Amino acid sequence: MRAVRVLSAALLMLGLAAAPAAADSTPSPEASGDGGGPTRAGTSFRTATEVEQEQTATARASTGDYLYWSFPADAGQRPTVRATVKLPEGHAAETWQIDVYDGLRRRQACQYGAQTRTAVAGAASVELACVLRTVRAWSEPWADDPLPGTYYVRLTVLKLSADDLGKPVDAELRVESKDMGGAAAVDGSLSEPLVPGIGSREKEEALHGPKSVLAELEPEDGWTSGWWSDRWIWTAAGGALAALAGVLGYRLTRGPGRPRHVPPGA
């Protein structure tokens, strides 16, 4: 009887030791990958992983998870979001999609790009892309224009077979922007960029430190770094040409001037 109890206790300890290992083998958005960028993804807007532009973020997750990242975009930039999902072997046809939301969590339409794409059965990966409209420095309250601030990216699968649900996948995300210059400049600007927690940043940093702010990333040169653009150069050049044309027009149209005085009897 004593030997049976000892054997039962040993089996119980072995089961407890094996349980954490089995739990750790389940893929999650926080599993790390290679590359110099973040190696995890959030599961909601509030837990979105911050990514700098021109930086590659990776994440390992399960098919069916919602993956969230965030990145900063300033006025005059036209961001391009690209995502690649490495699919498991032997999968059926799957449809994946990326959605981009601004700082007010308004879904932003893509100018062009494969925002939704279906991977055929057995495909090794699927690539998605979304080119946003140019970020404006200011807009009417009723408009849906992209504005400076934090942008959120959500990656998820829309259609898949029941057998593929929960299979491990590897995701990569990269955001790049093109500076549109003075052609995208507008008169006016926001008092503050649309960044979560920016309204209480000074107060929260004084009480709890800078880590208390929800969004910490910002453009390399700071917000509204694009206040200087080639629009100023064209404006100054246009003014100089207008002044020169005015002087030249005056000289051409004034004539020879007043006639010379001729003395009497000459």
Side-chain angles (χ1 to χ4, degrees), residues 63 92-97 116-119 156-162 164:
T63 306
E94 298 180 359
T95 301
W96 288 78
Q97 178 172 302
T116 304
R117 178 167 285 180
T118 299
T156 187
V157 60
L158 298 181
K159 297 179 181 179
L160 77 163
S161 65
D164 293 333

Side-chain angles (χ1 to χ4, degrees), residues 107-120:
R107 185 175 180 273
Q108 292 294 320
C110 302
Q111 277 190 318
Y112 51 88
Q115 182 182 8
T116 304
R117 178 167 285 180
T118 299
V120 298

Side-chain angles (χ1 to χ4, degrees), residues 1-214:
M1 190 65 178
R2 183 177 180 182
V4 174
R5 290 180 179 177
V6 173
L7 182 59
S8 300
L11 292 175
L12 179 61
M13 294 296 294
L14 182 61
L16 292 176
D24 292 341
S25 64
T26 303
S28 68
E30 298 184 357
S32 61
D34 53 1
T39 57
R40 65 176 61 191
T43 56
S44 66
F45 285 102
R46 292 187 60 85
T47 60
T49 298
E50 295 182 339
V51 182
E52 295 182 1
Q53 292 197 28
E54 299 184 358
Q55 186 180 50
T56 301
T58 59
R60 184 167 300 157
S62 300
T63 306
D65 289 342
Y66 283 82
L67 306 181
Y68 286 82
W69 293 272
S70 66
F71 66 92
D74 205 359
Q77 294 182 340
R78 188 179 67 183
T80 298
V81 181
R82 303 183 187 275
T84 302
V85 183
K86 298 179 181 179
L87 304 174
E89 296 181 358
H91 67 85
E94 298 180 359
T95 301
W96 288 78
Q97 178 172 302
I98 54 173
D99 297 295
V100 183
Y101 301 82
D102 64 7
L104 298 177
R105 300 186 184 179
R106 302 177 302 182
R107 185 175 180 273
Q108 292 294 320
C110 302
Q111 277 190 318
Y112 51 88
Q115 182 182 8
T116 304
R117 178 167 285 180
T118 299
V120 298
S125 63
V126 58
E127 297 182 356
L128 307 167
C130 175
V131 181
L132 297 175
R133 294 173 294 168
T134 304
V135 179
R136 295 168 55 89
W138 177 86
S139 178
E140 295 289 348
W142 47 262
D144 194 26
D145 298 322
L147 297 170
T150 300
Y151 283 76
Y152 299 92
V153 180
R154 182 178 68 186
L155 172 65
T156 187
V157 60
L158 298 181
K159 297 179 181 179
L160 77 163
S161 65
D163 295 337
D164 293 333
L165 184 63
K167 288 186 177 181
V169 294
D170 292 322
E172 291 183 0
L173 180 85
R174 185 175 180 85
V175 181
E176 298 177 343
S177 288
K178 179 180 180 180
D179 188 1
M180 303 307 293
V186 296
D187 296 329
S189 62
L190 299 179
S191 58
E192 295 288 355
L194 301 178
V195 176
I198 195 169
S200 58
R201 171 172 291 183
E202 296 182 359
K203 180 179 178 180
E204 292 295 326
E205 288 184 352
L207 294 176
H208 306 290
K211 294 298 183 181
S212 62
V213 181
L214 295 179

Side-chain angles (χ1 to χ4, degrees), residues 262-266:
V262 179

